[in-house]
Amino acid sequence: MERAKIDTEELIKIPKLIKAISHLLSEIVKVNSQIEYDAHDPFSSKVVTTIPIQYYIERIKKYTNIENSTLIITLIYADRVCGMNSIVLQPHNIHRVILASCLLAIKYNEDEFYANDYYAQVGGITTEELNLLEYNCIQLLNFNLFVDEKIFQKYVNYLSNYPKI
């Protein structure tokens, strides 16, 4: 997607956006937690991260100052990675899917970004782990980071009308 000049700041205020995204992902993980853990998932961790999804996204936002449009693209990438590859979001992988998707979204959508070691520190993993997650994520997306404006707007509309917030 060419850097969208869509004013998501007016459509969705930051606290509501993060709350909507995190609640949506939490609900998906809650439903999927009944599914058996797949050890072949490239995002899975042996240990479940205890930080709630909302706090994790807020932490990423606080330390990276990413734009709202990038948060929405993060959700689109996470959705694509799972949908295209039969990956089920569960407690063992959700934080890593978010971090890898966010890293790619930042690099694609933002004018400036930090080195991977900084994002690894923000995400609570090693730089080597983050590099591998980024590599797996971009491969699972078939190196396609383009987001059509209509798809982007569909996510904006859904999140701005998210019923649970």
Side-chain angles (χ1 to χ4, degrees), residues 77-92:
Y77 289 170
D79 194 19
R80 279 186 191 171
V81 162
C82 294
M84 293 169 54
N85 301 284
S86 300
I87 294 173
V88 177
L89 290 178
Q90 1 178 357
H92 290 279

Side-chain angles (χ1 to χ4, degrees), residues 119-139:
Y119 295 110
Q121 186 176 13
V122 170
I125 62 174
T126 67
T127 304
E128 292 76 22
E129 288 174 295
L130 182 60
N131 291 342
L132 185 58
L133 290 175
E134 179 184 26
Y135 174 77
N136 286 327
C137 193
I138 192 89
Q139 279 199 319

Side-chain angles (χ1 to χ4, degrees), residues 35-54:
I35 298 170
E36 190 173 320
Y37 167 62
D38 179 9
H40 300 295
D41 175 348
F43 299 100
S44 291
S45 173
K46 293 177 183 172
V47 180
V48 174
T49 304
T50 57
I51 184 170
I53 295 168
Q54 181 174 339

Side-chain angles (χ1 to χ4, degrees), residues 12-22 68 71-72 159:
I12 303 172
K13 299 300 180 197
I14 289 176
K16 183 180 177 193
L17 175 62
I18 291 173
K19 197 171 183 180
I21 290 172
S22 61
N68 282 352
L71 283 173
I72 294 167
L159 291 168

Side-chain angles (χ1 to χ4, degrees), residues 51-65:
I51 184 170
I53 295 168
Q54 181 174 339
Y55 296 150
Y56 195 69
I57 296 171
E58 287 172 350
R59 176 182 171 80
I60 292 170
K61 174 69 177 167
K62 177 180 178 181
Y63 291 106
T64 65
N65 200 33

Side-chain angles (χ1 to χ4, degrees), residues 135-153:
Y135 174 77
N136 286 327
C137 193
I138 192 89
Q139 279 199 319
L140 292 170
L141 289 169
N142 294 324
F143 298 89
N144 180 11
L145 299 180
F146 176 78
V147 175
D148 183 75
E149 189 173 337
K150 289 178 184 177
I151 298 295
F152 182 86
Q153 195 60 51

